[in-house]
């Protein structure tokens, strides 16, 4: 056995029991919820503009609807005041005081919610002392009963479930103390504590369920925002990957041409100097090395199910075939070409084709049966595109089928890659318009 501590020595520390820790934690919660900053100023904000009532109204009634919470609280307080002061056997002065004692806590919930609870707890015995001679209800007079019930409900809505639980417990403690005769003064009255506790329990239970659903809704909304952000980033990366795969053939073609020309150039000149042969040999080696690295990069960005296209990448020369396929799908589309048609860089031609293709696909998804118009303008310094469609006819057999929202993102990525400009906005007629300008550097005459 361990030796006993000498006289005067401190005993070793004994850990607190779970019950003691739970009690201390409960008291700490009581202090945080109902004592610390009990009369802090917390004004009730107006209702949101997106609530159901304001959405159904317009003009001045809609402005009034934003103050609906304040109006309802004031109406409840006035009702409690009317009940508290409606007694012909009491004097008018007593009725006025009882009415104000019922009204004040309810109105205070709009600016100092926790303080309103304490004011109601103080006003209840004061009202009982003034009106007990004429009333048979104890310890809550009819006006105080409704006033305290409203205060409990409003404060619970404006705070949190733990605060509501503490208010309910303190209300029960006061009711039990009043029933035992501590405040009763020896008179016999019918007790209404159980009625108040029962009704307030139902009210606070409903408020707690509302809090839980509101918190869950906020968490779901926050998660949806995060998911939408991640989906947007993933969509952006997928579109960039798609563009990189499509441009691979264009870049590879140019690098192959450079390698072939560098290899054939020395044979097109009689007795080329060794320095020239070495320079062309270096150009070819660099072009072949660039092609090798390009294939490695494509292997990194290529999806597992990606298959290399069998045909060359499309250009604006293939636009008529695209329009024919779209017409077969039920879309009435016209094409207008302005300016001097000329050959553009393959990257620009490919991006322009894909932009028109995606814009028409969006029209088929969102406005089936509508009429569309494709305008291609060869202007000085670049290429202009405009794809506009009208609204879907009401008698259309097919319904709109919104996609994943990747179309606009992909078009913007292509335009941004080429340092172009793009706008995509609804039209006044109910359709949609996509306008794009792709800059193209002017090619001096005589250049190959």
């Amino acid at each position: 056995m361990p030796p006993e501590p000498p006289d005067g020595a401190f005993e070793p520390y004994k850990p607190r029991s779970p019950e003691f820790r739970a009690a201390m934690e409960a008291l700490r919660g009581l202090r945080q919820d109902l004592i610390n900053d009990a009369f802090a100023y917390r004004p009730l904000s107006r209702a949101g503009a997106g609530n159901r009532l304001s959405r159904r109204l317009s003009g001045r009634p809609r402005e009034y609807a934003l103050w609906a919470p304040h109006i309802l609280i004031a109406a409840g307080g006035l009702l409690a005041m009317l009940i508290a002061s409606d007694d012909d056997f009491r004097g008018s002065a007593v009725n006025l005081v009882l009415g104000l004692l019922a009204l004040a806590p309810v109105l205070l919930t709009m600016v100092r919610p926790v303080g309103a609870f304490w004011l109601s707890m103080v006003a209840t015995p004061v009202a009982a002392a003034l009106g007990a001679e004429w009333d048979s209800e104890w310890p809550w007079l009819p006006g105080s009963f409704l006033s305290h019930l409203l205060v409990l409900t409003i404060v619970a809505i404006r705070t949190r479930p733990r605060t509501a639980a503490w208010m309910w417990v303190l209300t029960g403690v006061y009711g039990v103390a009043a029933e035992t005769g501590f405040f009763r003064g020896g008179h016999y009255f019918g007790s209404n504590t159980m009625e108040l506790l029962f009704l307030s329990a139902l009210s606070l239970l409903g408020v707690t369920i509302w809090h839980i659903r509101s918190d869950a809704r906020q968490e779901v909304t926050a998660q949806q925002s995060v998911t939408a952000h991640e989906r947007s980033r993933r969509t952006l990366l997928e579109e960039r990957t798609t563009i990189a795969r499509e441009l691979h053939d264009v870049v590879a073609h140019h690098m192959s041409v450079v390698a072939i020309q560098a290899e054939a150039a020395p044979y097109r000149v009689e007795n080329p100097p060794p320095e020239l042969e070495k320079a062309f040999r270096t150009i070819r080696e660099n072009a072949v090395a660039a092609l090798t690295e390009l294939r490695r990069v494509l292997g990194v960005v290529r999806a597992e199910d990606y298959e290399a296209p069998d045909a060359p990448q499309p250009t604006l020369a293939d636009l008529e075939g695209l329009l024919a396929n779209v017409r077969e799908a039920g879309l009435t589309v016209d094409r207008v070409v302005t300016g001097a048609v000329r050959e553009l860089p393959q990257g620009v031609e490919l991006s322009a084709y894909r932009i028109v293709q995606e814009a028409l696909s969006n029209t088929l998804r969102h406005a089936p049966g509508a009429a569309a118009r494709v305008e291609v303008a060869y202007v000085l310094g670049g290429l202009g595109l405009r794809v506009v469609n009208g609204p879907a006819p009401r008698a259309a057999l097919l319904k709109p089928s919104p996609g994943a929202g990747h179309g606009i993102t992909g078009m913007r990525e292509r335009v941004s890659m080429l340092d172009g400009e793009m706008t995509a906005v609804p039209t006044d007629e109910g359709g949609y318009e996509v306008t794009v300008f792709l800059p193209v550097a002017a090619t001096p005459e005589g250049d190959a």
Side-chain angles (χ1 to χ4, degrees):
M1 296 179 61
E4 296 183 359
D7 295 340
F10 292 102
E11 295 184 0
Y13 171 76
K14 296 181 179 179
R16 303 291 188 182
S17 64
E19 294 80 4
F20 179 83
R21 289 197 299 267
M24 294 303 297
E25 185 67 24
L27 292 177
R28 189 179 299 110
L30 172 63
R31 184 171 63 252
Q32 292 176 353
D33 293 339
L34 294 178
I35 298 178
N36 294 343
D37 296 330
F39 286 85
Y41 182 67
R42 295 175 53 193
L44 177 63
S45 59
R46 298 193 304 170
N51 64 81
R52 296 180 180 178
L53 182 60
S54 61
R55 285 200 302 264
R56 296 177 181 178
L57 302 175
S58 61
R60 188 172 298 275
R62 185 174 185 178
E63 293 293 330
Y64 293 152
L66 299 179
W67 295 98
H70 303 76
I71 296 174
L72 291 176
I73 293 175
L78 292 175
L79 179 60
M81 179 181 180
L82 179 63
I83 295 175
S85 59
D86 185 21
D87 196 324
D88 296 335
F89 295 97
R90 293 192 294 251
S92 59
V94 176
N95 282 334
L96 178 60
V97 173
L98 292 178
L100 293 177
L101 290 176
L103 174 64
V106 179
L107 296 182
L108 190 62
T109 58
M110 292 189 286
V111 289
R112 304 183 190 275
V114 178
F117 167 75
W118 289 115
L119 179 60
S120 180
M121 292 293 291
V122 173
T124 296
V126 174
L130 292 176
E133 297 181 4
W134 298 276
D135 239 306
S136 61
E137 296 295 336
W138 182 269
W140 279 275
L141 302 185
S144 300
F145 188 99
L146 178 59
S147 175
H148 196 70
L149 182 61
L150 290 174
V151 168
L152 290 178
T153 304
I154 298 171
V155 176
I157 292 175
R158 298 203 58 199
T159 54
R160 55 180 176 173
R162 191 177 73 175
T163 305
W166 276 120
M167 292 189 301
W168 189 83
V169 169
L170 292 179
T171 299
V173 170
Y174 166 76
V176 172
E179 287 182 4
T180 57
F182 186 74
F183 298 111
R184 192 167 55 180
H187 298 285
Y188 179 81
F189 297 90
S191 173
N192 56 2
T193 298
M194 293 305 298
E195 289 86 344
L196 178 61
L197 290 179
F198 176 75
L199 292 178
S200 59
L202 292 180
S203 175
L204 297 181
L205 178 61
V207 172
T208 301
I209 295 175
W210 175 80
H211 273 295
I212 295 174
R213 291 190 60 185
S214 179
D215 294 341
R217 191 182 302 110
Q218 291 179 359
E219 292 180 2
V220 171
T221 302
Q223 187 61 38
Q224 288 177 345
S225 300
V226 173
T227 303
H229 179 69
E230 293 298 328
R231 186 186 299 113
S232 177
R233 292 183 56 188
R234 184 172 64 251
T235 299
L236 187 62
L237 294 177
E238 290 176 355
E239 293 297 331
R240 290 179 178 178
T241 302
T242 301
I243 295 172
R245 290 199 299 260
E246 292 180 350
L247 291 180
H248 165 265
D249 293 342
V250 177
V251 178
H253 170 73
H254 287 299
M255 296 304 299
S256 299
V257 171
V258 170
I260 294 173
Q261 289 181 343
E263 184 177 9
Y267 300 100
R268 301 178 63 181
V269 181
E270 294 183 1
N271 301 321
E275 295 80 1
L276 184 61
E277 291 183 354
K278 183 178 180 182
F280 280 118
R281 192 182 310 114
T282 303
I283 293 174
R284 181 183 180 279
E285 292 175 355
N286 290 336
V288 173
L291 277 173
T292 303
E293 296 298 329
L294 186 62
R295 293 191 183 97
R296 291 177 181 173
V297 172
L298 181 66
V300 172
V301 301
R302 180 185 292 128
E304 296 180 357
D305 57 349
Y306 172 74
E307 297 181 359
D310 298 331
Q313 296 290 357
T315 63
L316 289 176
D318 305 311
L319 197 57
E320 189 58 40
L322 172 64
L323 300 183
N325 291 335
V326 172
R327 293 188 185 102
E328 292 179 358
L331 182 66
T332 303
V333 57
D334 298 325
R335 183 179 68 157
V336 177
V337 180
T338 58
V341 179
R342 64 184 185 275
E343 184 177 354
L344 302 175
Q346 291 184 351
V348 176
E349 297 251 355
L350 172 60
S351 295
Y353 180 91
R354 294 301 186 194
I355 290 172
V356 174
Q357 183 184 39
E358 189 59 46
L360 294 177
S361 298
N362 286 344
T363 302
L364 286 173
R365 285 194 295 266
H366 298 281
R373 179 184 177 90
V374 178
E375 299 178 3
V376 182
Y378 291 85
V379 297
L380 183 64
L383 176 70
L385 298 173
R386 181 174 179 265
V387 182
V388 59
N389 64 271
R394 295 183 179 180
L397 298 178
L398 298 177
K399 299 298 181 182
S401 56
H406 298 182
I408 299 296
T409 302
M411 287 189 281
R412 292 192 186 280
E413 279 300 306
R414 294 181 185 277
V415 173
S416 176
M417 176 190 64
L418 298 173
D419 296 328
E421 299 177 359
M422 171 181 166
T423 58
V425 294
T427 62
D428 297 336
E429 294 77 15
Y432 208 78
E433 177 181 354
V434 176
T435 305
V436 174
F437 176 75
L438 303 177
V440 178
T443 303
E445 295 183 1
D447 287 1

